[in-house]
Each structure stands twice: as C-alpha cells, then as structure tokens.
Amino acid sequence: MSDMKRRAFITLLSGAAAWPLAARAQQPAMPVIGLLDTGSIDSNTRFIRPFRQGLAEIGYFEGQNVAIEYRWAEGRYDRLPQLAADLVQRKVSVIAIPSSTPASVAAKNATTTIPIVFGVGDDPIRLGLVTSLGRPGGNATGINFLTAELGAKRLGLLHELVPTASRIAVLANPTDQVRMTSNIKDLEAAARAIGLQIHVFSASTIDEVDIAFAAILRERMHALLSIPDAFLGTRRVQLATLAARHALPTAYPLRDYVEAGGLMSYGTSLADAQRHVGIYTGRVLKGEKPADLPVVQPTKFELVINRSTAKALDLDVPGTLLARTDEVIE
C-alpha cells in the first residue's frame, strides 16, 4: 500500500471512530429532578416508591431517561433554605417535594422560575405557593393532602372511640410554626363544638418527645392527638411505644403510625398522593407549565385501627366505627 493510500485509510478509520462520539455529544442532556424533603432517606423510602411509580406512568425512569438529585434535611428544618438554594444553583429541571409542607415553602422562597411540584398538608394558597387551586398562576403546583383540614375529623373519631376522654393532649413540633398554628386553631374550634378541652405539648427532638409524654401524664390527659409533622413521623415507633406503655389512646394522621403499633389513624392515602406528585413531575418534564396544572385535592381517605392495641388499652371499638374502618390491623 502506498504512503498516500495508507494515510487516507488511517484518516477514514479515525473519522469512523469519532462518529459515535459525535452522535453522543449531540444527544440532549438527561433532565434532572431535584427532590427535597424534611426527613432522611432511611425514614422516607416509603414515599420514593410511589413517586417513582408516578414518574414511570408518564414514561420517566430514574437512571434511564431522568436523573434525581436528593436533598434530605435529616429532620432539621433550618437546613431547608440552603438545600433548596443548592438545587436552584444546580439548575435542576424541576424541584419535587412529594410530602413536606416546610420543604415546599423553602423551595418556593428559593426560586420563582424553576418549576416546583409539591405535596403539602396545608392550604397551598395560605402558604403562598399558588394564587388559586384551579389556576396556580406561578411556578408551583401539586397536591394538597388536606391533613390540616382533617384534624377536626380525626378528633371526632378519637372521641367516638374513647367517649369518656374529655382532656385531649395535642403533640406538635414547634419548629414547624405554620402548620402548628393552623392545626391548633382548627382543633380548638372542633374541640369546643363537642365539649372537649385540648392542651398543646411540644416536641422537636427525641428527648423532647419523652419530656412531652411526662408532662402529658403529669397533667392527667385522657387521650392524645398527634399533629401531622415530618419529624414526629420519624418517631412513630417511639410515640406508639410510649402511648402503649402509659395506656394513652392516641390518634395519628397516617397509617404508618398504626402499622408501628399506634391505636388509630385517619388521613389521606399518602401513597396515592405521592404517586400523583410523580405524575405531575413527569408532565412538567414533558413541557406542561405548573401555572396551568390545577392543584389536586385527594378523594381517597383511610381510617385504620389497630385492634391489638385497642385490646391492650381495654377499648371496645364500636360497631358503627368498625363498619367505617378501611383496614383493621390485628
């Protein structure tokens, strides 16, 4: 082979080898979801599954055609603004908050341009996340779990299960001041309507949970209502254990508490709501604008009772209440 032909052949091979690299370079970058949450990866693996399921229904699969950057506050609400700012600096395609009111507010405060899909338990209009439910009008939309609005219903169910209990303790996390204030205001009105007294006790650390229970016993409370909160959710086993040890009938916002040994819960089907956050996130990635996607309110609620815990507390579940129960855990 002549030198001229040899050089032409090598040039041809070099060009062919570069074709795949050039083709890959022209492919669009994989979109990135920034997932922000108040808790930790260990405590919140339960919501990642339905969130991913919702994404999959729209055609997005983590690691294949979408990447997810996780930011966990580890129960420290004061870290949320910095974590949200980090995702904004990362220039993620969308910020998703499957289940956290404080994280949703932090994300909204961090950006007015990056799309946000939230899951919150309080009124998103009152939180300043949207201007209206039907036409959010800004860069955020999502689902409202209605956990705050369901507090009165939860109190009524607890009263139905334990009709002799008139002094009701309410356990709240003071670091989530917005939720604490709105929940207590609604509960006070509901309690007055059925002749009950509520007394608020605060806890934002593991030790403070123990201290709160000691105060609840000292004040001779008859029953306990736990306000929806990410930190208290991570302490559900501790709460259920203390309630059982001190024979204190307790109502919770989510079924996870009852699965951990709690007495009863009433609230939104959280898995279904978190799945919908995944669906909306996928729709935003496909080009729909949060301003045009109405905030969804759940239609599926569940009453769950742990019959073993009821027996241990020497409580007879009324037949009328049992008939309305969605699931009985033995």
Side-chain angles (χ1 to χ4, degrees), residues 8-84:
F9 182 67
I10 292 173
T11 301
L12 180 62
L13 285 179
S14 300
W19 291 340
L21 293 176
R24 285 196 293 271
Q26 293 173 1
Q27 291 179 355
M30 186 182 293
V32 178
I33 298 169
L35 191 146
L36 180 64
D37 190 76
T38 316
S40 65
I41 182 62
D42 294 333
S43 64
N44 285 315
T45 51
R46 66 190 187 280
F47 78 59
I48 295 177
R49 187 181 300 108
F51 173 74
R52 287 173 176 160
Q53 180 186 346
L55 279 176
E57 291 181 28
I58 303 299
Y60 286 100
F61 302 88
E62 184 178 7
Q64 296 182 28
N65 59 354
V66 70
I68 302 180
E69 289 273 349
Y70 296 93
R71 297 292 185 273
W72 307 100
E74 305 286 344
R76 289 182 51 191
Y77 288 40
D78 60 309
R79 295 184 60 199
L80 288 170
Q82 179 55 46
L83 293 174

Side-chain angles (χ1 to χ4, degrees), residues 121-123 126 145-152 154 182-183 186 228:
D122 295 89
D123 181 358
R126 184 166 57 185
F145 303 144
L146 299 177
T147 50
E149 289 83 348
L150 296 176
R154 203 173 296 119
S182 62
N183 274 262
D186 292 342

Side-chain angles (χ1 to χ4, degrees), residues 32-38 47-48 51-52 55 66-72 80 83-84 87 92-100 103-104 107-108 111 114-120 139-142 274-282 284-285:
V32 178
I33 298 169
L35 191 146
L36 180 64
D37 190 76
T38 316
F47 78 59
I48 295 177
F51 173 74
R52 287 173 176 160
L55 279 176
V66 70
I68 302 180
E69 289 273 349
Y70 296 93
R71 297 292 185 273
W72 307 100
L80 288 170
L83 293 174
L87 291 175
V92 295
S93 306
V94 56
I95 298 176
I97 305 102
S99 179
S100 173
S104 299
K108 181 64 176 175
T111 179
I114 295 176
I116 297 169
V117 180
F118 57 74
V120 297
N139 66 317
T141 189
Q274 290 157 347
R275 169 182 154 271
H276 198 92
V277 173
I279 290 173
Y280 258 23
T281 301
V284 168
L285 288 175

